[in-house]
Amino acid sequence: MYDYIKGKVTRVTPEYLVIEQQGIGWQIFAPNPYSFGSDDLQVFLHYHVREDAHLLFGFPTLEQRELFRKLISVSGIGPKGALAILASGQPQHVIEAIEREDESYLVKFPGVGKKTARQMILDLKGKLAEFFGDPFDPEETNILLSNDQAELEEAMLALGALGYSEREITKVKPQLRDLDLDTEGFMKKALQLLLKQN
């Protein structure tokens, strides 16, 4: 129904961003809302309908949107779970884990247990070749001017919104305090640390 939207980002929260287009503010849920910036931009959309809500999900690239759609086609993975997986900033690693049948990597994501990881492999292995070689913009381009604690706190809130527990967040937070990053940078680094934990 909707393919993309072009407009200006007017608000960013840990769960969604608002893009204004022709006087209307569109609430768009995204893997990492802080990665979009505040300039005019194009966001690829997925329109999700359920009994109690009609939701828009947004992605910076067409490939990310298509991978999101593949993920939510798996039994046991809803939109929130798929966003948490994509928020790692390294979808290529997810694809490789599926192709290698690496359940131990997949179960590190919130809401993904052994049964769901196995289902991901069964449903998606061999069907993600189109995504190989796509960079998904994984580069860490987050060098910032100041180490504002508010940005670290925003990143921690965003992790909570993705489904990580307070215990998991508290475990990685001390490793982030001395880093000079923006909210997006803290998010990526925290997700990398969380994925390394057993």
Side-chain angles (χ1 to χ4, degrees), residues 1-168:
M1 185 174 181
Y2 300 107
D3 190 52
Y4 64 84
I5 186 171
K6 286 184 177 180
K8 184 175 179 62
V9 176
T10 58
R11 184 162 36 135
V12 180
T13 77
E15 293 184 76
Y16 65 86
L17 64 153
V18 176
I19 292 183
E20 184 178 336
Q21 190 219 35
Q22 297 183 347
I24 298 173
W26 298 85
Q27 183 186 56
I28 300 170
F29 293 87
N32 181 359
Y34 297 103
S35 67
F36 285 86
S38 58
D39 299 327
D40 289 335
L41 77 166
Q42 175 174 293
V43 178
F44 293 94
L45 300 174
H46 172 79
Y47 181 56
H48 189 77
V49 179
R50 60 182 203 217
E51 284 184 19
D52 60 341
H54 291 218
L55 305 170
L56 285 174
F57 293 90
F59 307 91
T61 68
L62 194 56
E63 290 81 9
Q64 275 200 16
R65 183 185 69 185
E66 298 313 307
L67 181 53
F68 172 84
R69 287 176 171 172
K70 297 262 190 200
L71 289 170
I72 63 173
S73 73
V74 175
S75 175
I77 299 181
K80 190 173 180 181
L83 286 184
I85 292 168
L86 288 172
S88 70
Q90 298 173 316
Q92 190 67 32
H93 292 178
V94 178
I95 295 166
E96 289 169 2
I98 290 168
E99 294 300 319
R100 289 194 320 267
E101 301 190 20
D102 185 356
E103 290 181 38
S104 62
Y105 180 85
L106 298 172
V107 297
K108 293 178 181 179
F109 293 103
V112 177
K114 285 190 174 183
K115 184 178 177 183
T116 304
R118 173 49 47 188
Q119 195 64 49
M120 287 172 72
I121 292 165
L122 287 172
D123 290 357
L124 300 180
K125 185 178 179 185
K127 299 176 182 175
L128 300 172
E130 63 198 278
F131 300 111
F132 276 101
D134 190 278
F136 287 99
D137 197 17
E139 281 126 22
E140 301 276 351
T141 54
N142 309 316
I143 312 273
L144 280 198
L145 306 165
S146 66
N147 184 12
D148 188 347
Q149 285 303 106
E151 293 181 328
L152 175 57
E153 293 307 318
E154 281 180 346
M156 298 301 99
L157 285 172
L159 290 173
L162 289 171
Y164 285 97
S165 69
E166 190 65 38
R167 183 182 60 79
E168 290 172 309

